[in-house]
Coordinates of all heavy atoms in Angstrom, one line a residue:
M1 N -24.1 148.1 124.3 CA -23.9 149.4 123.7 C -25.0 149.6 122.7 O -25.5 150.8 122.6 CB -22.5 149.3 123.0 CG -22.2 150.6 122.2 SD -21.2 151.6 123.3 CE -20.5 152.8 122.1
E2 N -25.4 148.6 122.0 CA -26.5 148.8 121.0 C -27.8 149.3 121.7 O -28.4 150.2 121.2 CB -26.8 147.5 120.3 CG -27.8 147.6 119.2 CD -28.1 146.3 118.5 OE1 -27.2 145.4 118.6 OE2 -29.1 146.2 117.8
K3 N -28.1 148.7 122.8 CA -29.3 149.1 123.5 C -29.2 150.6 124.0 O -30.2 151.4 123.9 CB -29.6 148.2 124.7 CG -30.8 148.5 125.5 CD -31.0 147.6 126.6 CE -32.3 147.9 127.4 NZ -32.5 147.0 128.6
A4 N -28.0 151.0 124.5 CA -27.8 152.3 124.9 C -28.0 153.3 123.8 O -28.5 154.4 123.9 CB -26.5 152.5 125.6
L5 N -27.5 152.9 122.6 CA -27.6 153.8 121.5 C -29.0 153.9 121.0 O -29.5 155.0 120.6 CB -26.7 153.3 120.3 CG -25.2 153.4 120.5 CD1 -24.5 152.7 119.4 CD2 -24.8 154.9 120.6
K6 N -29.8 152.8 121.0 CA -31.2 152.9 120.6 C -31.9 153.8 121.6 O -32.8 154.6 121.2 CB -31.8 151.5 120.6 CG -31.4 150.7 119.4 CD -32.0 149.3 119.5 CE -31.5 148.5 118.3 NZ -32.1 147.1 118.3
N7 N -31.6 153.7 122.9 CA -32.3 154.5 123.9 C -31.9 156.0 123.7 O -32.8 156.9 123.8 CB -32.0 154.1 125.3 CG -32.6 152.8 125.7 OD1 -33.6 152.4 125.1 ND2 -32.1 152.1 126.7
A8 N -30.7 156.2 123.3 CA -30.2 157.6 123.2 C -30.8 158.2 121.9 O -31.2 159.4 122.0 CB -28.7 157.6 123.1
F9 N -31.0 157.5 120.9 CA -31.5 158.1 119.6 C -33.0 157.9 119.6 O -33.7 158.5 118.8 CB -30.9 157.4 118.4 CG -29.5 157.9 118.1 CD1 -28.5 157.0 118.2 CD2 -29.2 159.2 117.9 CE1 -27.2 157.4 118.0 CE2 -28.0 159.6 117.6 CZ -26.9 158.7 117.7
G10 N -33.6 157.1 120.4 CA -35.0 156.8 120.5 C -35.8 158.0 121.0 O -35.7 159.0 120.5
G11 N -36.6 157.9 122.0 CA -37.4 158.9 122.7 C -37.0 160.3 122.6 O -36.7 160.9 121.5
S12 N -36.9 161.0 123.7 CA -36.6 162.4 123.7 C -35.1 162.7 123.4 O -34.3 161.8 123.6 CB -36.9 163.0 125.1 OG -36.1 162.4 126.1
V13 N -34.9 163.8 123.0 CA -33.5 164.2 122.7 C -32.7 164.4 124.0 O -33.1 165.2 124.8 CB -33.4 165.5 121.8 CG1 -32.0 165.9 121.6 CG2 -34.2 165.3 120.5
D14 N -31.7 163.6 124.1 CA -30.8 163.7 125.3 C -29.4 163.8 124.8 O -29.0 163.0 123.9 CB -31.0 162.5 126.2 CG -30.3 162.7 127.5 OD1 -29.8 163.7 127.8 OD2 -30.2 161.7 128.3
D15 N -28.6 164.6 125.3 CA -27.3 164.8 124.8 C -26.3 163.9 125.6 O -25.1 164.2 125.5 CB -26.8 166.3 124.8 CG -26.8 166.8 126.2 OD1 -27.3 166.2 127.2 OD2 -26.3 168.0 126.4
C16 N -26.7 162.9 126.3 CA -25.9 162.0 127.1 C -25.9 160.6 126.6 O -27.0 160.0 126.4 CB -26.3 162.1 128.5 SG -25.3 161.1 129.6
L17 N -24.8 160.0 126.4 CA -24.6 158.6 126.1 C -24.1 157.9 127.4 O -23.0 158.3 127.8 CB -23.7 158.3 125.0 CG -23.4 156.9 124.7 CD1 -24.7 156.1 124.2 CD2 -22.3 156.8 123.6
D18 N -24.8 157.1 128.0 CA -24.4 156.4 129.2 C -24.3 154.9 129.0 O -25.2 154.2 128.8 CB -25.4 156.6 130.4 CG -25.0 156.0 131.7 OD1 -24.0 155.3 131.7 OD2 -25.6 156.3 132.7
V19 N -23.0 154.5 128.9 CA -22.7 153.0 128.7 C -21.8 152.6 129.9 O -20.9 151.8 129.7 CB -22.1 152.7 127.3 CG1 -23.2 152.8 126.2 CG2 -21.0 153.6 127.0
S20 N -22.1 153.1 131.0 CA -21.3 152.8 132.2 C -21.6 151.4 132.7 O -22.8 150.9 132.6 CB -21.5 153.8 133.3 OG -22.9 153.8 133.7
G21 N -20.6 150.7 133.2 CA -20.8 149.4 133.8 C -21.3 148.3 132.8 O -22.0 147.4 133.2
K22 N -21.0 148.4 131.5 CA -21.4 147.4 130.5 C -20.4 146.4 130.2 O -20.6 145.6 129.3 CB -21.8 148.2 129.2 CG -22.9 149.2 129.4 CD -24.2 148.6 129.8 CE -25.3 149.6 129.9 NZ -26.5 149.2 130.5
G23 N -19.2 146.4 130.9 CA -18.2 145.5 130.6 C -17.4 145.7 129.3 O -16.8 144.8 128.8
L24 N -17.4 146.9 128.8 CA -16.8 147.2 127.6 C -15.2 147.1 127.7 O -14.7 147.6 128.7 CB -17.1 148.7 127.1 CG -18.6 149.0 126.9 CD1 -18.7 150.5 126.5 CD2 -19.2 148.1 125.8
T25 N -14.6 146.5 126.7 CA -13.2 146.5 126.6 C -12.7 147.4 125.5 O -11.5 147.7 125.5 CB -12.7 145.0 126.4 OG1 -13.3 144.5 125.2 CG2 -13.0 144.1 127.5
C26 N -13.6 147.8 124.6 CA -13.2 148.8 123.6 C -14.6 149.4 123.1 O -15.6 149.0 123.5 CB -12.5 148.1 122.4 SG -13.5 146.9 121.6
V27 N -14.4 150.5 122.3 CA -15.6 151.1 121.8 C -15.6 151.0 120.3 O -14.7 151.5 119.6 CB -15.6 152.6 122.2 CG1 -16.8 153.4 121.6 CG2 -15.6 152.8 123.7
Y28 N -16.6 150.3 119.7 CA -16.8 150.2 118.3 C -17.7 151.4 117.8 O -18.4 152.0 118.6 CB -17.5 148.9 117.9 CG -16.6 147.7 118.2 CD1 -16.8 146.9 119.3 CD2 -15.5 147.4 117.4 CE1 -16.0 145.8 119.5 CE2 -14.7 146.4 117.6 CZ -14.9 145.5 118.7 OH -14.1 144.5 118.9
F29 N -17.7 151.7 116.6 CA -18.5 152.7 116.0 C -18.3 154.1 116.7 O -19.2 154.8 117.1 CB -20.0 152.4 116.0 CG -20.3 151.0 115.4 CD1 -20.7 149.9 116.2 CD2 -20.2 150.8 114.1 CE1 -20.9 148.7 115.7 CE2 -20.4 149.6 113.5 CZ -20.8 148.5 114.3
K30 N -17.0 154.4 116.9 CA -16.6 155.6 117.6 C -17.3 156.9 117.0 O -17.5 157.9 117.7 CB -15.1 155.8 117.5 CG -14.4 154.6 118.2 CD -12.9 154.7 117.9 CE -12.2 153.5 118.4 NZ -11.4 152.9 117.4
E31 N -17.6 156.9 115.7 CA -18.2 158.1 115.1 C -19.5 158.5 115.7 O -19.9 159.6 115.7 CB -18.4 157.9 113.6 CG -19.2 156.7 113.2 CD -18.5 155.4 113.1 OE1 -17.3 155.3 113.4 OE2 -19.2 154.4 112.8
V32 N -20.2 157.6 116.4 CA -21.4 157.9 117.1 C -21.2 158.8 118.2 O -22.1 159.6 118.6 CB -22.1 156.6 117.5 CG1 -23.3 156.8 118.4 CG2 -22.5 155.7 116.4
L33 N -20.0 158.8 118.8 CA -19.7 159.6 120.0 C -19.8 161.1 119.6 O -20.0 162.0 120.5 CB -18.3 159.3 120.5 CG -18.1 157.9 121.0 CD1 -16.6 157.7 121.4 CD2 -19.0 157.5 122.1
A34 N -19.6 161.4 118.3 CA -19.6 162.8 117.9 C -21.0 163.5 118.1 O -21.1 164.7 118.1 CB -19.3 162.9 116.4
F35 N -22.0 162.7 118.4 CA -23.4 163.3 118.6 C -23.7 163.7 120.0 O -24.7 164.3 120.3 CB -24.4 162.3 118.1 CG -24.4 162.1 116.6 CD1 -23.8 160.9 116.1 CD2 -24.8 163.0 115.7 CE1 -23.7 160.7 114.8 CE2 -24.7 162.8 114.3 CZ -24.2 161.6 113.9
F36 N -22.8 163.4 120.9 CA -23.1 163.6 122.4 C -22.3 164.6 123.0 O -21.1 164.7 122.8 CB -23.0 162.2 123.1 CG -24.0 161.2 122.6 CD1 -23.6 160.3 121.6 CD2 -25.3 161.2 123.0 CE1 -24.5 159.3 121.1 CE2 -26.2 160.3 122.5 CZ -25.8 159.3 121.6
R37 N -22.9 165.3 124.0 CA -22.1 166.3 124.7 C -21.6 165.7 126.1 O -20.6 166.2 126.6 CB -23.0 167.5 125.0 CG -23.3 168.3 123.8 CD -24.2 169.5 124.1 NE -24.6 170.1 122.9 CZ -24.8 171.4 122.7 NH1 -24.7 172.2 123.8 NH2 -25.2 171.8 121.6
R38 N -22.3 164.7 126.6 CA -21.9 164.1 127.8 C -21.8 162.6 127.5 O -22.7 162.0 127.0 CB -22.8 164.3 128.9 CG -22.9 165.8 129.3 CD -23.8 166.0 130.5 NE -25.2 165.7 130.0 CZ -26.1 165.0 130.8 NH1 -25.8 164.7 132.0 NH2 -27.3 164.8 130.4
I39 N -20.6 162.0 127.8 CA -20.4 160.6 127.5 C -19.9 159.9 128.8 O -18.9 160.3 129.4 CB -19.4 160.3 126.4 CG1 -19.9 161.0 125.1 CG2 -19.2 158.9 126.2 CD1 -18.9 161.1 124.0
N40 N -20.6 158.9 129.2 CA -20.2 158.2 130.5 C -19.8 156.8 130.1 O -20.6 155.9 129.7 CB -21.4 158.1 131.4 CG -21.1 157.5 132.7 OD1 -20.0 156.9 132.9 ND2 -22.0 157.6 133.7
L41 N -18.5 156.6 130.2 CA -17.8 155.3 129.9 C -17.3 154.6 131.2 O -16.4 153.8 131.1 CB -16.7 155.4 128.9 CG -17.1 155.9 127.5 CD1 -15.9 156.3 126.7 CD2 -17.9 154.7 126.8
S42 N -17.7 155.1 132.3 CA -17.1 154.7 133.6 C -17.5 153.2 133.9 O -18.4 152.6 133.4 CB -17.7 155.6 134.7 OG -19.0 155.4 134.9
N43 N -16.6 152.7 134.8 CA -16.8 151.3 135.3 C -16.9 150.3 134.2 O -17.8 149.4 134.2 CB -18.0 151.3 136.2 CG -17.8 152.2 137.4 OD1 -16.8 152.2 138.0 ND2 -18.8 153.0 137.7
N44 N -16.0 150.3 133.3 CA -15.9 149.3 132.2 C -14.5 148.7 132.3 O -13.8 148.8 133.4 CB -16.1 149.9 130.8 CG -17.6 150.1 130.6 OD1 -18.4 149.1 130.5 ND2 -18.1 151.3 130.5
H45 N -14.0 148.1 131.3 CA -12.7 147.5 131.3 C -11.8 148.1 130.2 O -11.0 147.4 129.5 CB -12.8 146.0 131.0 CG -13.6 145.3 132.1 ND1 -13.2 145.1 133.4 CD2 -14.9 144.8 132.0 CE1 -14.2 144.5 134.0 NE2 -15.2 144.3 133.2
L46 N -12.0 149.4 130.0 CA -11.2 150.1 128.9 C -9.8 150.4 129.4 O -9.5 150.8 130.5 CB -11.9 151.5 128.6 CG -13.3 151.4 128.1 CD1 -13.9 152.8 128.0 CD2 -13.3 150.7 126.8
K47 N -8.8 150.2 128.5 CA -7.4 150.4 128.8 C -6.9 151.6 128.0 O -5.9 152.2 128.4 CB -6.6 149.2 128.5 CG -6.9 148.0 129.4 CD -6.1 146.8 129.1 CE -6.5 145.7 130.0 NZ -5.8 144.4 129.7
S48 N -7.5 151.9 126.9 CA -7.0 153.0 126.1 C -8.2 153.8 125.5 O -9.2 153.2 125.1 CB -6.2 152.4 124.9 OG -5.8 153.5 124.0
V49 N -8.1 155.1 125.5 CA -9.2 155.9 124.9 C -8.6 156.9 123.9 O -9.4 157.7 123.4 CB -10.0 156.6 126.0 CG1 -10.8 155.6 126.8 CG2 -9.1 157.5 126.9
K50 N -7.4 156.8 123.6 CA -6.7 157.8 122.7 C -7.4 157.8 121.3 O -7.6 158.9 120.7 CB -5.3 157.4 122.6 CG -4.4 158.5 121.9 CD -3.0 158.1 122.0 CE -2.1 159.3 121.6 NZ -0.7 159.0 121.7
S51 N -7.9 156.7 120.9 CA -8.5 156.6 119.5 C -9.9 157.3 119.5 O -10.4 157.5 118.4 CB -8.6 155.2 119.1 OG -9.5 154.5 119.9
L52 N -10.4 157.6 120.7 CA -11.8 158.2 120.7 C -11.7 159.8 120.6 O -12.7 160.4 120.2 CB -12.4 158.0 122.1 CG -12.6 156.5 122.5 CD1 -13.3 156.5 123.9 CD2 -13.4 155.7 121.5
V53 N -10.5 160.3 120.8 CA -10.4 161.8 120.9 C -10.9 162.5 119.6 O -11.6 163.5 119.7 CB -8.9 162.2 121.2 CG1 -8.7 163.7 121.0 CG2 -8.6 161.8 122.6
P54 N -10.6 162.0 118.4 CA -11.1 162.7 117.2 C -12.6 162.8 117.1 O -13.1 163.6 116.3 CB -10.5 161.9 116.0 CG -9.4 161.2 116.6 CD -9.7 160.9 118.0
Y55 N -13.3 162.0 117.8 CA -14.8 161.9 117.8 C -15.5 162.7 118.9 O -16.7 162.7 119.0 CB -15.2 160.5 117.8 CG -14.6 159.7 116.7 CD1 -13.5 158.9 116.9 CD2 -15.1 159.7 115.4 CE1 -12.9 158.2 115.9 CE2 -14.5 159.0 114.4 CZ -13.4 158.2 114.6 OH -12.8 157.5 113.6
L56 N -14.7 163.4 119.7 CA -15.2 164.0 120.9 C -15.4 165.5 120.7 O -15.5 166.3 121.6 CB -14.3 163.8 122.1 CG -14.1 162.3 122.5 CD1 -13.1 162.2 123.6 CD2 -15.4 161.7 122.9
L57 N -15.6 166.0 119.5 CA -15.7 167.4 119.2 C -16.9 168.1 119.8 O -16.8 169.3 120.2 CB -15.7 167.6 117.7 CG -14.5 167.2 116.9 CD1 -14.6 167.3 115.4 CD2 -13.3 167.9 117.4
Q58 N -18.0 167.4 120.0 CA -19.2 168.0 120.7 C -19.2 167.7 122.2 O -19.9 168.3 122.9 CB -20.5 167.4 120.1 CG -20.7 167.8 118.7 CD -20.9 169.3 118.4 OE1 -21.5 169.9 119.2 NE2 -20.2 169.8 117.4
C59 N -18.3 166.8 122.6 CA -18.3 166.4 124.0 C -17.8 167.5 125.0 O -16.8 168.1 124.7 CB -17.5 165.1 124.2 SG -17.6 164.3 125.8
K60 N -18.5 167.7 126.0 CA -18.1 168.6 127.1 C -17.7 167.9 128.4 O -17.0 168.4 129.1 CB -19.3 169.6 127.4 CG -19.8 170.4 126.2 CD -18.7 171.3 125.6 CE -19.3 172.1 124.5 NZ -18.3 172.4 123.5
E61 N -18.3 166.7 128.6 CA -18.0 165.9 129.8 C -17.8 164.5 129.3 O -18.6 163.9 128.7 CB -19.2 165.9 130.8 CG -19.4 167.2 131.4 CD -20.6 167.1 132.4 OE1 -20.9 166.0 132.9 OE2 -21.2 168.2 132.6
L62 N -16.6 163.9 129.7 CA -16.3 162.5 129.5 C -15.9 161.9 130.8 O -15.0 162.2 131.4 CB -15.1 162.5 128.5 CG -14.5 161.1 128.2 CD1 -15.6 160.3 127.4 CD2 -13.3 161.2 127.3
K63 N -16.7 160.9 131.1 CA -16.5 160.2 132.4 C -15.9 158.9 132.2 O -16.4 158.0 131.5 CB -17.9 160.0 133.1 CG -17.7 159.6 134.5 CD -19.1 159.6 135.3 CE -18.8 159.2 136.7 NZ -20.1 159.3 137.5
L64 N -14.7 158.7 132.7 CA -13.9 157.5 132.5 C -13.5 156.8 133.8 O -12.8 155.8 133.7 CB -12.6 157.9 131.8 CG -12.7 158.5 130.4 CD1 -11.4 159.0 129.9 CD2 -13.3 157.4 129.4
D65 N -13.9 157.2 135.0 CA -13.5 156.6 136.2 C -13.9 155.1 136.3 O -14.9 154.7 135.6 CB -14.0 157.4 137.4 CG -15.5 157.4 137.5 OD1 -16.1 157.7 136.4 OD2 -16.1 157.2 138.6
G66 N -13.2 154.3 137.0 CA -13.5 152.9 137.1 C -13.0 152.1 135.9 O -13.4 150.9 135.8
N67 N -12.1 152.6 135.1 CA -11.4 151.9 134.0 C -10.0 151.8 134.3 O -9.5 152.3 135.3 CB -11.6 152.6 132.7 CG -13.0 152.5 132.2 OD1 -13.4 151.5 131.7 ND2 -13.8 153.6 132.2
H68 N -9.2 151.1 133.5 CA -7.8 150.9 133.7 C -7.1 151.6 132.5 O -6.3 150.9 131.8 CB -7.4 149.5 133.8 CG -8.1 148.8 134.9 ND1 -7.8 149.0 136.3 CD2 -9.2 147.9 134.9 CE1 -8.6 148.3 137.0 NE2 -9.5 147.6 136.2
I69 N -7.3 152.9 132.4 CA -6.7 153.6 131.3 C -5.2 153.7 131.5 O -4.7 154.3 132.5 CB -7.3 155.1 131.2 CG1 -8.8 155.0 131.2 CG2 -6.7 155.8 130.0 CD1 -9.4 154.4 130.0
S70 N -4.4 153.2 130.5 CA -3.0 153.2 130.6 C -2.3 154.2 129.6 O -1.1 154.3 129.6 CB -2.5 151.8 130.3 OG -2.8 151.4 129.0
D71 N -3.1 154.9 128.8 CA -2.4 155.9 127.9 C -2.9 157.3 128.3 O -3.9 157.5 129.0 CB -2.7 155.6 126.5 CG -4.2 155.6 126.1 OD1 -5.0 155.9 127.0 OD2 -4.5 155.4 125.0
D72 N -2.2 158.3 127.7 CA -2.7 159.6 127.8 C -3.7 159.9 126.6 O -3.8 159.0 125.8 CB -1.6 160.7 127.8 CG -0.8 160.8 126.5 OD1 -1.3 160.1 125.5 OD2 0.2 161.5 126.5
L73 N -4.4 161.0 126.6 CA -5.4 161.2 125.6 C -4.8 161.9 124.4 O -5.5 162.1 123.4 CB -6.5 162.1 126.2 CG -7.4 161.4 127.2 CD1 -8.4 162.4 127.7 CD2 -8.1 160.2 126.6
G74 N -3.5 162.2 124.4 CA -2.9 162.8 123.2 C -3.2 164.2 123.1 O -3.4 165.0 124.0
D75 N -3.3 164.7 121.8 CA -3.5 166.1 121.5 C -5.0 166.5 121.8 O -5.9 166.0 121.0 CB -3.2 166.4 120.1 CG -3.3 167.8 119.7 OD1 -3.4 168.7 120.6 OD2 -3.3 168.1 118.5
L76 N -5.2 167.3 122.8 CA -6.6 167.8 123.1 C -6.8 169.2 122.8 O -7.7 169.9 123.3 CB -6.9 167.5 124.6 CG -6.9 166.1 125.1 CD1 -7.1 166.0 126.6 CD2 -7.9 165.3 124.4
S77 N -5.9 169.8 121.9 CA -5.9 171.2 121.6 C -7.2 171.7 121.1 O -7.6 172.8 121.3 CB -4.7 171.6 120.7 OG -4.9 170.9 119.5
G78 N -7.9 170.9 120.3 CA -9.2 171.3 119.8 C -10.4 171.1 120.7 O -11.5 171.4 120.3
L79 N -10.1 170.6 121.9 CA -11.2 170.3 122.8 C -11.1 171.0 124.1 O -11.1 170.5 125.2 CB -11.2 168.8 123.1 CG -11.2 167.8 121.9 CD1 -11.0 166.4 122.4 CD2 -12.5 168.0 121.2
Q80 N -10.9 172.3 124.0 CA -10.7 173.2 125.2 C -11.8 173.1 126.3 O -11.6 173.2 127.4 CB -10.6 174.7 124.8 CG -9.3 174.9 124.1 CD -9.5 174.8 122.6 OE1 -10.6 174.5 122.1 NE2 -8.5 175.0 121.8
A81 N -13.1 172.8 125.8 CA -14.2 172.8 126.8 C -14.4 171.4 127.4 O -15.4 171.2 128.1 CB -15.5 173.3 126.0
L82 N -13.6 170.4 127.1 CA -13.8 169.1 127.5 C -13.4 168.9 129.0 O -12.3 169.2 129.3 CB -13.1 168.1 126.6 CG -13.2 166.6 127.0 CD1 -14.6 166.1 126.8 CD2 -12.3 165.8 126.1
Y83 N -14.3 168.4 129.8 CA -14.0 168.1 131.2 C -14.0 166.6 131.3 O -14.9 165.9 131.0 CB -15.1 168.7 132.1 CG -15.0 168.3 133.5 CD1 -13.9 168.8 134.3 CD2 -15.9 167.5 134.2 CE1 -13.7 168.5 135.6 CE2 -15.7 167.2 135.5 CZ -14.7 167.7 136.2 OH -14.5 167.4 137.5
I84 N -12.8 166.0 131.8 CA -12.6 164.6 131.9 C -12.5 164.2 133.4 O -11.8 164.9 134.1 CB -11.4 164.2 131.2 CG1 -11.5 164.5 129.7 CG2 -11.2 162.7 131.3 CD1 -10.2 164.4 128.9
Y85 N -13.3 163.3 133.7 CA -13.2 162.8 135.1 C -13.5 161.3 135.1 O -13.9 160.7 134.2 CB -14.1 163.5 136.1 CG -15.6 163.5 135.7 CD1 -16.5 162.7 136.4 CD2 -16.1 164.4 134.7 CE1 -17.8 162.8 136.1 CE2 -17.4 164.4 134.4 CZ -18.3 163.6 135.1 OH -19.6 163.6 134.8

């Protein structure tokens, strides 16, 4: 995750955070997610993402496939433009 964040904040401005296939079981430093419009968390070992929702205010695409999500995302009323797949 640290390497992906360094790459994301390093070189050119890119609005995508791609930490797919990194073996993640949880996401630390969730506040960093607030800076990205596209977030790829696919193909990890995540079981819950409900705690991420408050940090997804800028996010338009959230990719979660290939995880074992066992909860719903809760209240998404402030995230009308969010596309989850």
Side-chain angles (χ1 to χ4, degrees):
M1 180 93 166
E2 182 179 347
K3 183 178 177 183
L5 288 174
K6 284 181 182 177
N7 289 340
F9 287 117
S12 64
V13 176
D14 187 10
D15 62 352
C16 179
L17 174 65
D18 186 350
V19 287
S20 60
K22 303 293 184 191
L24 300 177
T25 56
C26 64
V27 176
Y28 293 106
F29 308 109
K30 298 173 191 127
E31 58 275 2
V32 173
L33 300 177
F35 296 101
F36 297 96
R37 293 182 187 210
R38 296 180 299 139
I39 301 170
N40 185 349
L41 294 168
S42 64
N43 301 312
N44 282 294
H45 303 287
L46 300 173
K47 294 181 181 176
S48 176
V49 292
K50 193 172 189 174
S51 66
L52 304 180
V53 172
Y55 304 97
L56 301 175
L57 296 176
Q58 297 295 320
C59 189
K60 304 296 182 208
E61 293 180 23
L62 178 62
K63 191 170 184 181
L64 296 170
D65 61 315
N67 286 290
H68 302 287
I69 309 296
S70 60
D71 63 358
D72 66 7
L73 292 176
D75 182 17
L76 298 176
S77 59
L79 306 173
Q80 293 88 1
L82 180 62
Y83 176 66
I84 301 170
Y85 57 104

